[in-house]
Amino acid sequence: MSEAATMFKPYSRPQMAKLAADDIPEGWYVNLGIGIPTAIADHVPLDREVIFHSENGVLGMGPAPEKDKIEPWLINAGKQYVTLRAGGSICHHADSFSMIRGGHLDLCVLGAFQVADNGDIANWATSENDTAPAVGGAMDLAAGAKRLWVLMDHTTKDGTPKLVNKCSYPLTAQRCVKRVYTNLAVIDVADIGFVVRQMSPGLSFEDLQARTEAKLHLPG
Amino acid sequence: MSEAATMFKPYSRPQMAKLAADDIPEGWYVNLGIGIPTAIADHVPLDREVIFHSENGVLGMGPAPEKDKIEPWLINAGKQYVTLRAGGSICHHADSFSMIRGGHLDLCVLGAFQVADNGDIANWATSENDTAPAVGGAMDLAAGAKRLWVLMDHTTKDGTPKLVNKCSYPLTAQRCVKRVYTNLAVIDVADIGFVVRQMSPGLSFEDLQARTEAKLHLPG
Amino acid sequence: MINKIVRSMADAMAGIKDGSTVLLAGFGSVGQPNQLIEGLIEQGARELTVAANNAGSGHVGLARLMELGRVRKIICSFPRSSDPVVFETLYRSGQIELEIVPQGTIAERMRAAGAGIPQFFTATGVGTKMAVGKEHREIDGRTYILENALKGDVGLVEAWEADRWGNLTYKLAGRNFNPVVAMASELSIVQTQHVRELGELDPDHIVTPGIFVDRVLHVPYGDPGSF
Amino acid sequence: MINKIVRSMADAMAGIKDGSTVLLAGFGSVGQPNQLIEGLIEQGARELTVAANNAGSGHVGLARLMELGRVRKIICSFPRSSDPVVFETLYRSGQIELEIVPQGTIAERMRAAGAGIPQFFTATGVGTKMAVGKEHREIDGRTYILENALKGDVGLVEAWEADRWGNLTYKLAGRNFNPVVAMASELSIVQTQHVRELGELDPDHIVTPGIFVDRVLHVPYGDPGSF
């Protein structure tokens, strides 16, 4: 890493979530993956109506409940207590996954271990020999939603790039990621590969490329 | 036809319906085809609880409504007004046919043009070149119900047998009829073929055979 | 604010293209979106493929649409009706194509389209004319045939209640094909007897969630007529 | 008189055989038939194949059933949980077989079993380890894999309300896998919070009709616990 690397300010988790949230237009049906993506909902104002879906048959989730107003029969796929907005509805698991697999969700945002510049995503197992990997609904969401965005750190803690030429971890789905929000940049996955839309303050394109295995492109 | 043929008394339509009705035990889920089979329900007393299903998503039908108590939103597959018993429920068409195709109906009773002694049924078209044959739900019911009974006249009006060696009309489904109630007899479809359980008063086995193309067997 | 409720029939029908596949819900005249069918007649799209349980009756609704020469092909389970004169005339003179599909297979093909299942196996129709030319497969000792999803470019739906997010309920046998038509269609257009405030419909009682619905038109026509 | 309501857990569990495939509904502890799982532990059937979304937590319920050596194979989408110690111990020592299935594919496989569809194509899992050894097919330019129906010999279900015909409703996220488990299982056993008189449940609001239900046990345990 170059000297300059110390000069930039990575996006915080809330900033990453806000960046993604600001890109979601009113009226979209959106599934937010377990973990960091869930925080995106906090950055969408209630008067911009975005309809959040959870795999376990909950459509139209609202903000997290206050502690003394928990409805014990209302949880999301991350098994957190949630609320239902006016207009929310309940369905069974097969109907819920019909929404996902039938291409009815405008957007899904997942976390990931790796994203390749052809849009491949690996987010469910860190080894071909993982003893008991847990896939949950990730493969359904990645393959089924109209568009898939990823929210993740740009590299692992030890600096290994997560935006790669080819995923080394087991795939979740092929050629489906459309955009990646990292702590360093917002990057589209286009036909030519990764196209940088925005970088964290103070970061140069060269610095970003140094932290990225796959080739980066500038727009236009 | 022999002389004796004039001596017997065929079952009337209500008698045929009653014979079938008496064979339906409490607790069965039953679909009655459009036409004569519909009348079977009238012969099942309400305190022997049999749950009648209609293809258009109605489960638990009761007796026909009185004229001044018609619910215009409640019809059966024959597009007649029906009632719903306490315990009745509504579902959509795909769920309704899941009940049929998933093998959840204990019984379906259909009318037919022909039944062969291997259990084949032809009940939807009277010619290979029928201009616009109407199959409706018959193929789903015949293939899907746990057991299929047929209620029909023993011969056509001109005396042509309808219990045949091989259906000449286009098939509705293969090898699925388990029993046939005609105006002359009640006949099981067993591994060896047609087995006569009961004949209309005064009819001899030979007379019945004379009106039947396929070979008839006596039980045991 | 999301508002799927449109103010006019013209808005409801906007953009339906020639050559579209249109899925029509309804069984008999119960839960049948009659006013939307009239709207489609008015709208003018041609060369339509229409999937519905029946092939129209008399000279109104679907029959009228066919009579005007706007339907290239009909996919249905039961082309006969109390008065199928229009369909039969067109069919005999070779002016309309017919695909007969068992009723459960139509419903399941629509549901499959909505659920992202392009093809599935079924026992319905095996050994019959319906199986001719279709892939056969023996699975656990029984023979099945392969059927394709039936996707609509446009779906016409009748609901009992709707809200501005497009959540729907149905009344009794008015449910029938409506939920599968809504989920199978790219553009789902609903006529509803009642419009409810958002939040008025119980989340546990909503049958078609708004995710399957694009436009809602308030048509409080009352009870369906006789048959 | 039809009466699917049984009076004891022993009656609810009667006849479950060794080697059965048991479908377990529930997602987290919401809508999970915990008392029926305890009943199954008590009942004693062995060599079970269990399909559920998770592989149990702590040392109770499904985890306890596994710990007692009664489960030969588990089919699930997410074997991890807050405390998956029992499953992980058994799995690492080769004492339990695991089939990982994407969550939507499990749900759809159960629904297919209930709907008479032995096999269907799906895009979920294409290009992943889930697709290894499965039939692939390109349909309209996209690749799909073939999945099989997942039928239960026994299904364990939790309902909010039930009547003596076995009609069920669910409460909010307690619905989850329950309706598909009920329709996919040869013997569907339900624990219900509330028993209603026949006719008390609105025909338009019944989610699982009694045709998919065999036995109902009244277990009014209250709200699900924390996770």
Side-chain angles (χ1 to χ4, degrees), chain C residues 129-140:
Chain C
K129 290 170 73 165
M130 300 298 165
V132 175
K134 286 182 183 154
E135 179 176 335
H136 286 61
R137 182 174 296 198
E138 196 175 313
I139 301 163
D140 292 335

Side-chain angles (χ1 to χ4, degrees), chain A residues 117-169:
Chain A
D117 67 354
N118 67 348
D120 285 0
I121 174 174
N123 88 334
W124 70 294
T126 50
S127 155
E128 286 294 340
N129 303 313
D130 196 336
T131 49
V135 66
M139 288 185 180
D140 305 287
L141 287 161
K146 281 181 196 157
R147 47 182 81 71
L148 177 65
W149 296 350
V150 165
L151 199 70
M152 66 176 188
D153 285 339
H154 202 85
T155 65
T156 63
K157 277 174 189 162
D158 69 1
T160 308
K162 298 176 70 170
L163 290 147
V164 297
N165 291 312
K166 189 174 188 310
C167 295
S168 59
Y169 293 152

Side-chain angles (χ1 to χ4, degrees), chain B residues 47-130:
Chain B
D47 63 352
R48 188 198 330 151
E49 292 185 345
V50 171
I51 300 177
F52 292 107
H53 171 263
S54 188
E55 294 94 303
N56 56 322
V58 183
L59 187 65
M61 287 183 294
E66 293 168 47
K67 276 216 165 167
D68 57 343
K69 287 180 183 165
I70 284 173
E71 164 54 74
W73 292 87
L74 200 51
I75 61 170
N76 64 13
K79 287 152 196 173
Q80 300 163 305
Y81 292 117
V82 294
T83 58
L84 209 54
R85 296 180 70 156
S89 61
I90 299 292
C91 64
H92 65 56
H93 243 82
D95 281 349
S96 180
F97 277 86
S98 288
M99 296 176 193
I100 297 170
R101 295 152 64 108
H104 303 284
L105 290 179
D106 296 289
L107 172 67
C108 173
V109 188
L110 293 176
F113 299 131
Q114 296 176 321
V115 173
D117 67 354
N118 68 346
D120 286 0
I121 173 174
N123 88 336
W124 71 292
T126 51
S127 154
E128 288 293 340
N129 302 312
D130 197 337

